[in-house]
Every structure is written in C-alpha cells, then in structure tokens.
Amino acid sequence: MSGETANIAEVAEKISNEIFGFFRWKNSGRYNENFPCNNPEIHFGKKVKSDFGFKKSHPCDCVFSYYDPYKHRVVYLLTDLKSYAAGSIQQARIKSAIVSLAKSAECAECSSEWQKNYIPSDDPSKVHGLLFVYNHDGAFDKNFDGVLRKIKTETIPVAKGQNIYIISPMRIKYLMTVCSDIRRLFFEEEISKKYSFFYPELTLHKTSGD
C-alpha cells in the first residue's frame, strides 16, 4: 500500500471514530487484522492444503460495539471501512465488499480466536457486519440506494440471524452534521458532555439499563 493510499484509508478510520464516538459506540482499538476462516471450502470455493501451511482468512478493519437496551445484549459490528473516490463507487465493487463482509461476520460469530480478541466477556452478545462507505473526494452525487438495488440480495451469503448494515456516503455526511451540531451545543453549553440517549419503551420491547 502506497503512502497516499494508506492516508486515504486512514481518513475512513478517523471519520468513523468521530461519528460513532458521539453516539457512545466503543471501538476495540484493534485495526486491520485477519482471522482464520472456519469454512474455507464454502467461503473460498476450494479445499485448503494445510500441509503447506496456508490458511484462508477474513479481514477485520475494526470492531465497534454498543449495548442494545431492547435486546439486552452487546452488539459487535465487524466493520469494513471503505474510502472510495466517486468513480469507484460501483455495483460490482460494493457487492464484492458486501459478500466478503457477510462471510467474515459468519466466521466471526463462531471463531474462538476472533471472540477472544474482540469480545471481552461472556455476557450475551451478537455479531453483525457493518460496511462503511466513505467518499474521500466528496464528488459522489448519485443515488447510492440505486447502486444497492441493482445487487441481487439472494446472492449475498448472509448467515441466519445476522445482518449486514451499510452506511452510505450521503448518510455519513448527515451523521457528520449531527456530530457538528452536538459539538456546537457543547461550546454553547446547551448540553453537558456527559449526555446520554433516551430509548422509549416499545410495545414489544422494554428497555433495560440506563
């Protein structure tokens, strides 16, 4: 990876931390690590010859987590941070990223190595995937939902009980304005930096915890 490419990738790390930090998500602090695949024949389409010492693996850019007050468990998001120029945000590339993330999340759910590194306790938890698509040149002006609609969801190998969440360039811009507004409220002393969020009771789900 060239210095310029590395700097572009680091922008997505910085932006994601800034956004999710304001929403009280936690970051594992581990970046750009791979972990062994538990289903290489399914995920990679061929048998791995372990006698040569080669092991198929999945990438993990970072892991965010938050406590779900409705499900009463911690949600861990195996995150793929993408930093694309506008011309690179295309159907084939986004689909490839989603497929790779779905396989990674499936393996993370049952990988003792991954859980040892990212899940610090035996408390109830759930692993999902998060694709963070940042447009680093600010030139993407198309409908990202239109890109997603062209992808046949039945071809995405999402494991039962798991979800893949996608944050688009436009949603990232919106969340950045929310963070900017919160920061302004700090400065104007309209809210305390010890702010928290209110979760209303739902018909089918009751909250637990603060």
Side-chain angles (χ1 to χ4, degrees), residues 95-133:
K95 178 181 177 179
S96 176
I98 296 173
V99 169
S100 174
L101 180 60
K103 294 175 180 178
S104 297
E106 180 182 19
C107 274
E109 185 82 90
C110 57
S111 168
S112 58
E113 179 175 328
W114 189 90
Q115 295 191 16
K116 179 180 67 176
N117 290 335
Y118 295 101
I119 301 181
S121 71
D122 294 328
D123 295 337
S125 63
K126 183 62 182 177
V127 179
H128 295 296
L130 173 65
L131 179 61
F132 187 89
V133 185

Side-chain angles (χ1 to χ4, degrees), residues 35-105:
F35 64 98
C37 176
N38 292 328
N39 300 295
E41 294 184 32
I42 296 176
H43 288 168
F44 294 94
K46 60 182 179 179
K47 190 173 182 179
V48 178
K49 295 182 178 180
S50 58
D51 54 331
F52 287 101
F54 296 116
K55 290 185 178 180
K56 295 296 184 180
S57 62
H58 294 292
C60 179
D61 286 350
C62 67
V63 175
F64 289 101
S65 63
Y66 64 90
Y67 178 73
D68 187 328
Y70 296 113
K71 299 292 182 64
H72 315 311
R73 63 191 181 192
V74 177
V75 174
Y76 290 89
L77 294 167
L78 189 157
T79 304
D80 186 0
L81 299 172
K82 297 298 187 187
S83 186
Y84 291 142
S88 298
I89 302 177
Q90 300 174 354
Q91 175 190 346
R93 180 164 288 187
I94 297 300
K95 178 181 177 179
S96 176
I98 296 173
V99 169
S100 174
L101 180 60
K103 294 175 180 178
S104 297

Side-chain angles (χ1 to χ4, degrees), residues 172-186:
I172 290 173
K173 285 184 178 181
Y174 167 71
L175 293 175
M176 289 173 68
T177 64
V178 173
C179 295
S180 178
D181 290 343
I182 293 175
R183 191 181 291 108
R184 177 179 55 81
L185 291 173
F186 289 161

Side-chain angles (χ1 to χ4, degrees), residues 156-177:
I156 308 298
V158 181
K160 184 178 180 180
Q162 284 190 317
N163 296 322
I164 299 298
Y165 301 102
I166 303 171
I167 300 186
S168 69
M170 292 304 294
R171 181 54 58 89
I172 290 173
K173 285 184 178 181
Y174 167 71
L175 293 175
M176 289 173 68
T177 64

